Amino acid sequence: MHLPQHPFATAITSQDIAERLQKSPHWEDRYRELIRLSRQMPTLPEEWRSVENEVFGCENRVWVAYELTPQGAMHFVLESESRIVKGLLALLLSQCEGQPPHALVDKDLLGALSELGLAQHLSTTRNSGLTAVAQAINNAASAALERR
């Protein structure tokens, strides 16, 4: 079974998300925008919610599932039980979806959180969890390269 499709990195780019968040002057408004983004995230099918795909070190349960497309691009679905985390994952997803593995091995996926003023409003455990998710994406890209 293949992972579900989603609009991130195609119909909704990281630039689109940045513009939406920058239009929101207050943290509470940005928080609501992240929740709106979370509603557009696909649900990860149960068979992909495995121990191998779970990211440990997160405040809420999070899964990073991926597959390599026939064109050699990474297709990710990121899942969390928390709506705010799912919205933050949308920002990460918009930066990594559809990229070739070599472009993601060392990619800094967390820089956007700081640039958009989000990192300073997140708890230490939430920041640690997002760091673990970014590392899982980098590791998935490395694994995809090794399998080639």
Side-chain angles (χ1 to χ4, degrees):
M1 176 175 219
H2 291 288
L3 289 169
Q5 296 300 309
H6 54 74
F8 295 97
T10 53
I12 301 173
T13 66
S14 57
Q15 184 61 37
D16 294 332
I17 295 172
E19 288 172 7
R20 286 184 192 188
L21 294 173
Q22 288 167 341
K23 287 179 186 175
S24 304
H26 304 291
W27 167 240
E28 295 81 13
D29 297 326
R30 289 179 179 206
Y31 189 84
R32 280 191 284 283
E33 189 58 43
L34 289 170
I35 290 171
R36 280 189 208 101
L37 284 169
S38 75
R39 292 184 185 125
Q40 296 178 58
M41 293 281 284
T43 299
L44 185 66
E46 203 59 44
E47 59 269 16
W48 289 86
R49 293 181 191 219
S50 63
V51 172
E52 295 82 25
N53 291 336
E54 190 168 359
V55 178
F56 296 95
C58 299
E59 198 171 292
N60 301 96
R61 292 184 79 187
V62 173
W63 293 268
V64 172
Y66 72 93
E67 55 193 7
L68 198 58
T69 69
Q71 298 78 24
M74 302 290 294
H75 172 52
F76 289 93
V77 173
L78 310 178
E79 178 71 70
S80 174
E81 296 173 333
S82 161
R83 286 186 305 181
I84 188 66
V85 171
K86 208 165 179 173
L88 292 164
L89 294 176
L91 180 58
L92 298 181
L93 188 58
S94 71
Q95 298 176 72
C96 65
E97 177 63 24
Q99 297 292 313
H102 66 84
L104 295 174
V105 171
D106 294 317
K107 185 171 178 110
D108 174 16
L109 296 166
L110 299 178
L113 293 174
S114 296
E115 291 169 19
L116 294 170
L118 296 173
Q120 67 192 27
H121 294 285
L122 301 175
S123 67
T124 302
T125 55
R126 193 153 277 162
N127 272 312
S128 295
L130 289 169
T131 299
V133 170
Q135 187 61 57
I137 292 168
N138 297 142
N139 292 346
S142 291
L145 281 176
E146 289 174 11
R147 277 191 243 131
R148 285 182 149 185

